[in-house]
Amino acid sequence: MRKIASKDLGMLPLKEKDRPIVRALLSAGCCARCILRFCCIGLQSAYRQSYEDLMNELQTFVSAGGCGKSHDVADHEHTEDPPCKRVKLDTVEGDTEVVPHAQAESDLDTAEPKVCVVCLGVLQHFCDKTFAKKVSEAVTAEGYQFDSLVLSVSLPAQLSVREHSTWLLVKKEVREKGLCLGKDDVIQVKEAFKWIMNGLVSQELCVPVLAKSLFEVSVGFTHPETDGDCHFLATTCSDCFKPAKNKQSVFTRMAVVKALEKITDENFRRQFPCPPKCPTTRCTAQDIQCLHVSVFVAGRYNKFSRTLPQTPWVIDGERRMESSVEELITAPLLSAFRSEGFNFSSSGREDVDVRTLGNGRPFAVELLNPHRSQFSKEEVRELQEAINKSSDKIRVRDLQIVTRDAVGHMKEGEEEKTKSYGALIWTQRPIEKEDIEFIKDIKELKIAQKTPLRVLHRRPLAVRQRVIHTMTARFLDAHHFHLHLRTQAGTYIKEFVHGDFGRTRPNLCDLMKTDTDILELDVESVDVDWPPAVGD
Amino acid sequence: MEGNVTEHRGTPSVIDRYFTRWYKTDLKGKPCEDHCILQHSNRICVITLAESHPIIQKEKKIQSVNYQISAGCSRLQNKVSGKSKRGGQFLTELAPLCRITCTDGEEYTIFSCIRGRLLEVNEDILTRPSLLLEKPSTDGYIAVILPKFEESKSVTDGLLSRAEYEEVVSKRTAVKPEPC
């Protein structure tokens, strides 16, 4: 990027050697700001001038060149490739009947500027207070809570093709004048757009517009008229354009940029006009999209019901059971954070008929695109109360806002942790107190569990070794006792009790030497020490 | 409550809770060679001997169980991998699963009864064939089969329900006082 040049060239930091470039770009149908970009002007304020002032200044600059001008232009014509010449004449023809040189130049003075051949109007018609107001109104209407924002721009892929074509034109001038500028020195359309718009949007919304922010406002442009510009690249660099599932077109910006890096200048010039053909329409701005990064909320839950699934239970598109732990917890969160969706995760899960008691099971909710994201500790506590008041089937504690990274702790060592369970056991053979006393003497019992039939449809078939650390039994009656177990996480308790067709060995039937079944199961503790306790 | 008449308990058994019982009687025209198919609500099927099968009815002593159903095919070779259970042998209704030889010289072939992918066979009955008599519908199962997802409903079309099966069995008793 260059420093401000001598005064006699006016406001713009343009130098004598830029004159032929500016002249070439003007006659190619480039807009004033694209000309600054190709002259590698890094002075942001230059772009913020009104479009009319900027254009006038550039024209004055070109005219100030005096006799060099006509010579340069004439010279330019002689060296130009025939296809480019034709295109140039065509574009002029669109405006006036005759095509002499002098008249072509006088076109530049017309009040309504032609749509830029490079930016397709993005830097001409969408870089002013009017568009900044439009963006700001769209953002305000969404009702987000934010204290800064990042503006992102998505441009039609063909802009890169047109940029490349124009660069080849400039490159010729650059080479002839012995300047050492590369394509990377050219200011990007996106960059120029942000230099102008960041400040304008910031003024409208009264928050800083930064390079990074939790809140992103996206502006997208399309230009159907020139969508075909990219197509020739598919035959030249077919390996760059592979159909991907979730893409509407193979001509993504990335693919086009990659193809342009590969194609030779010669090949490109043969297949694409240089300078690019003049468009008749300007870009269309798409709807403004707002996105706030996810907020993560964690806590621990108890489940007191044996008819409440952890997540919505749907079979063949039909709802079984009316609610779920997930829904009970997330409903108040969704409305408080005004979030568009969520992802619920937990440290393991329990069956619909299993209660989770004790300190509860750690869980985390990712709130997607929350419109509100800042909550005081007191407000989070109130949210927890709201969840707990909404249902007596669950209870939440230690509710807190956490970072995305912290959620990883919940899944860490899920297999190594210990879990405690309480189970109501039925025995086929009548028992007496003494018949279950041996159970407490069993320590670190190794069992082999084939994937239970009940989950085999969605998990691989495998034999897993699990350890039952300790067990204690409490006699209830001749056919029932209460069994307390401390096991390695990932042990299937129900299958350990009934044996799952002998697919878990040894099982409680083997140990008791009679058929046993499990009538009730409670999770009594999940020994994961995350999230941290929240004090009062 | 069906199926738990022999168990004196107030609650349904594991099979009652999670499975539907289906039957196929007189397999390949052989009288009383009845099979029971336990279909889990998740579509997985467990193939077992029905209580009315001659082995159980006549309390036969089993000499051997053989999953080698032909020179080139053994059900013991079956291996599945991954969630999608790739590599499992695909079975049609009349695919043989194993042959059971009794000490009286009789040999019985057990068939798949349903279309689906073979997930596993019960190797325990090779070493403890008595399980077939002691716990025919649980630890003495023959094989686990996973029907295709799109066939999970239609796969039991040709089979008898529990009620239909009981009717067939009771008619046998009516015709011949000494069944099978």
Side-chain angles (χ1 to χ4, degrees):
Chain A
M1 294 191 191
R2 294 193 261 155
K3 297 267 157 62
I4 300 173
S6 50
K7 279 179 217 156
D8 59 344
L9 294 178
M11 285 279 291
L12 297 172
L14 289 167
K15 288 182 180 168
E16 186 55 40
K17 61 182 187 285
D18 291 320
R19 213 181 301 273
I21 299 175
V22 174
R23 187 171 294 132
L25 290 172
L26 273 173
S27 70
C30 247
C31 75
R33 289 178 178 128
C34 282
I35 291 173
L36 292 189
R37 294 196 300 113
F38 281 103
C39 292
C40 309
I41 304 298
L43 180 72
Q44 299 192 14
S45 59
Y47 293 83
R48 294 191 192 118
Q49 289 183 76
S50 82
Y51 188 82
E52 293 71 28
D53 290 354
L54 193 56
M55 199 42 139
N56 287 337
E57 242 188 282
L58 284 174
Q59 277 165 6
T60 316
F61 172 63
V62 170
S63 331
C67 61
K69 161 184 165 184
S70 61
H71 171 75
D72 260 354
V73 171
D75 184 41
H76 192 78
E77 279 238 318
H78 288 302
T79 53
E80 217 166 356
D81 299 328
C84 300
K85 184 178 174 184
R86 196 183 61 238
V87 170
K88 184 176 149 195
L89 295 177
D90 282 347
T91 55
V92 176
E93 235 168 350
D95 231 46
T96 55
E97 288 184 272
V98 213
V99 259
H101 248 105
Q103 213 166 336
E105 302 234 327
S106 72
D107 279 348
L108 301 168
D109 297 320
T110 50
E112 180 64 21
K114 284 198 280 185
V115 178
C116 175
V117 293
V118 193
C119 70
L120 301 171
V122 170
L123 298 179
Q124 289 173 299
H125 305 289
F126 300 98
C127 280
D128 52 18
K129 216 174 165 61
T130 314
F131 192 59
K133 272 207 162 73
K134 203 186 148 203
V135 171
S136 307
E137 279 162 12
V139 173
T140 309
E142 296 282 330
Y144 280 88
Q145 178 190 51
F146 58 99
D147 40 30
S148 73
L149 68 90
V150 56
L151 195 59
S152 74
V153 197
S154 122
L155 299 170
Q158 60 267 32
L159 237 66
S160 305
V161 178
R162 289 177 163 261
E163 182 92 0
H164 191 71
S165 162
T166 312
W167 164 247
L168 293 183
L169 185 76
V170 171
K171 195 161 127 181
K172 201 161 69 182
E173 292 291 340
V174 168
R175 208 186 296 124
E176 279 165 14
K177 300 290 173 298
L179 302 175
C180 49
L181 285 174
K183 196 181 178 185
D184 293 343
D185 296 310
V186 174
I187 307 299
Q188 299 281 301
V189 176
K190 279 185 185 184
E191 202 168 359
F193 179 87
K194 289 177 189 176
W195 284 349
I196 305 163
M197 291 299 285
N198 279 3
L200 295 176
V201 171
S202 176
Q203 272 170 27
E204 293 294 329
L205 289 170
C206 302
V207 296
V209 177
L210 307 171
K212 268 188 181 176
S213 169
L214 301 178
F215 183 54
E216 181 183 17
V217 175
S218 306
V219 185
F221 295 98
T222 54
H223 195 257
E225 184 193 341
T226 57
D227 274 344
D229 282 1
C230 306
H231 294 180
F232 78 95
L233 289 169
T235 46
T236 324
C237 307
S238 54
D239 55 326
C240 295
F241 301 97
K242 287 181 184 131
K245 269 181 196 166
N246 41 27
K247 296 282 180 204
Q248 291 180 334
S249 159
V250 292
F251 297 102
T252 61
R253 213 179 143 73
M254 291 300 287
V256 167
V257 167
K258 208 172 137 197
L260 290 172
E261 279 169 11
K262 283 190 171 181
I263 194 167
T264 62
D265 292 0
E266 204 185 8
N267 196 356
F268 183 92
R269 281 168 177 275
R270 260 204 309 274
Q271 303 194 58
F272 195 81
C274 175
K277 231 176 133 183
C278 207
T280 55
T281 55
R282 61 176 73 162
C283 273
T284 310
Q286 293 174 295
D287 287 343
I288 313 294
Q289 304 284 329
C290 298
L291 182 68
H292 195 288
V293 295
S294 297
V295 172
F296 291 83
V297 174
R300 305 176 82 97
Y301 74 79
N302 290 128
K303 168 162 121 55
F304 302 121
S305 166
R306 295 195 193 281
T307 55
L308 183 70
Q310 193 208 34
T311 50
W313 192 7
V314 179
I315 295 176
D316 295 337
E318 265 187 59
R319 184 84 202 238
R320 308 279 288 267
M321 305 283 179
E322 74 187 50
S323 190
S324 66
V325 172
E326 179 188 282
E327 287 159 284
L328 290 172
I329 293 176
T330 54
L333 294 179
L334 281 174
S335 63
F337 286 79
R338 287 185 284 127
S339 144
E340 273 175 10
F342 66 87
N343 289 315
F344 183 90
S345 58
S346 61
S347 179
R349 54 184 301 151
E350 64 281 301
D351 292 341
V352 59
D353 54 355
V354 173
R355 299 188 301 178
T356 297
L357 310 175
N359 241 349
R361 184 187 295 280
F363 71 90
V365 182
E366 175 181 10
L367 293 154
L368 303 167
N369 199 1
H371 285 50
R372 185 183 165 192
S373 52
Q374 287 158 13
F375 286 80
S376 69
K377 283 197 171 155
E378 176 60 24
E379 285 169 324
V380 174
R381 205 181 54 78
E382 281 165 13
L383 249 167
Q384 175 174 303
E385 267 172 39
I387 295 169
N388 289 339
K389 272 188 192 140
S390 72
S391 170
D392 52 10
K393 292 179 175 175
I394 60 151
R395 190 184 153 78
V396 167
R397 80 189 67 203
D398 300 336
L399 197 74
Q400 55 197 285
I401 293 177
V402 297
T403 62
R404 179 189 287 272
D405 296 340
V407 176
H409 297 306
M410 193 174 70
K411 295 277 174 189
E412 268 169 31
E414 227 178 31
E415 296 279 290
E416 291 82 58
K417 299 286 177 178
T418 300
K419 293 197 181 181
S420 302
Y421 299 90
L424 177 60
I425 308 294
W426 169 87
T427 65
Q428 188 182 39
R429 176 170 56 82
I431 52 164
E432 285 172 40
K433 272 188 178 173
E434 298 74 55
D435 293 327
I436 54 173
E437 269 188 4
F438 74 100
I439 287 177
K440 70 173 188 306
D441 302 323
I442 301 172
K443 304 283 183 209
E444 304 300 321
L445 175 70
K446 288 193 179 68
I447 62 168
Q449 292 199 298
K450 279 191 189 144
T451 308
L453 290 175
R454 116 184 111 90
V455 298
L456 187 56
H457 62 301
R458 55 183 161 88
R459 303 224 175 118
L461 176 60
V463 183
R464 295 179 185 81
Q465 307 297 322
R466 290 288 182 263
V467 178
I468 298 183
H469 301 300
T470 58
M471 288 188 280
T472 50
R474 194 174 79 241
F475 181 84
L476 294 172
D477 63 41
H479 286 282
H480 299 92
F481 67 93
H482 180 272
L483 181 68
H484 178 265
L485 310 94
R486 272 187 60 243
T487 73
Q488 180 184 359
T491 308
Y492 291 104
I493 306 302
K494 288 176 176 175
E495 280 70 20
F496 168 68
V497 174
H498 61 60
D500 197 28
F501 294 69
R503 298 170 73 260
T504 287
R505 295 266 185 216
N507 54 55
L508 193 62
C509 310
D510 298 331
L511 301 176
M512 292 291 299
K513 297 188 176 66
T514 179
D515 276 3
T516 58
D517 198 358
I518 182 161
L519 306 184
E520 285 176 3
L521 179 62
D522 294 326
V523 177
E524 287 176 354
S525 80
V526 181
D527 300 339
V528 173
D529 52 10
W530 187 89
V534 173
D536 296 324
Chain B
M1 215 168 291
E2 58 170 47
N4 55 5
V5 249
T6 54
E7 299 175 39
H8 301 285
R9 54 188 282 178
T11 52
S13 68
V14 170
I15 293 175
D16 295 327
R17 290 204 296 271
Y18 306 117
F19 294 84
T20 308
R21 293 175 163 89
W22 298 97
Y23 295 87
K24 199 167 172 95
T25 53
D26 308 322
L27 251 99
K28 289 247 179 170
K30 295 185 177 173
C32 303
E33 291 195 20
D34 307 336
H35 291 31
C36 175
I37 300 95
L38 302 173
Q39 189 180 33
H40 195 280
S41 53
N42 68 13
R43 90 175 187 271
I44 278 179
C45 293
V46 181
I47 313 302
T48 72
L49 296 181
E51 307 99 274
S52 50
H53 194 281
I55 294 176
I56 299 170
Q57 281 303 309
K58 295 179 181 167
E59 295 183 35
K60 296 206 175 197
K61 190 153 170 56
I62 293 163
Q63 191 179 327
S64 69
V65 176
N66 191 356
Y67 279 110
Q68 181 91 39
I69 45 106
S70 70
C73 182
S74 169
R75 302 303 182 200
L76 291 171
Q77 302 288 302
N78 191 70
K79 276 209 169 63
V80 293
S81 67
K83 283 182 193 175
S84 54
K85 318 294 187 294
R86 286 179 306 275
Q89 300 171 4
F90 193 83
L91 307 172
T92 53
E93 292 90 332
L94 286 176
L97 292 172
C98 68
R99 295 185 220 288
I100 302 171
T101 313
C102 300
T103 48
D104 63 1
E106 285 278 359
E107 188 189 81
Y108 299 93
T109 304
I110 311 301
F111 296 93
S112 166
C113 301
I114 52 153
R115 286 165 53 78
R117 198 182 288 273
L118 181 64
L119 298 191
E120 66 177 52
V121 296
N122 187 0
E123 294 188 29
D124 288 353
I125 57 174
L126 297 176
T127 47
R128 289 174 62 196
S130 63
L131 285 173
L132 284 163
L133 287 129
E134 292 157 10
K135 296 184 169 184
S137 57
T138 57
D139 291 21
Y141 72 97
I142 305 293
V144 179
I145 296 172
L146 179 65
K148 288 185 179 173
F149 183 78
E150 60 273 23
E151 294 178 0
S152 51
K153 290 273 189 296
S154 63
V155 83
T156 53
D157 279 354
L159 305 178
L160 303 180
S161 68
R162 174 80 182 175
E164 290 165 335
Y165 163 75
E166 280 172 350
E167 205 183 315
V168 169
V169 173
S170 68
K171 274 185 185 159
R172 273 183 200 153
T173 332
V175 175
K176 291 189 276 178
E178 191 73 17
C180 306

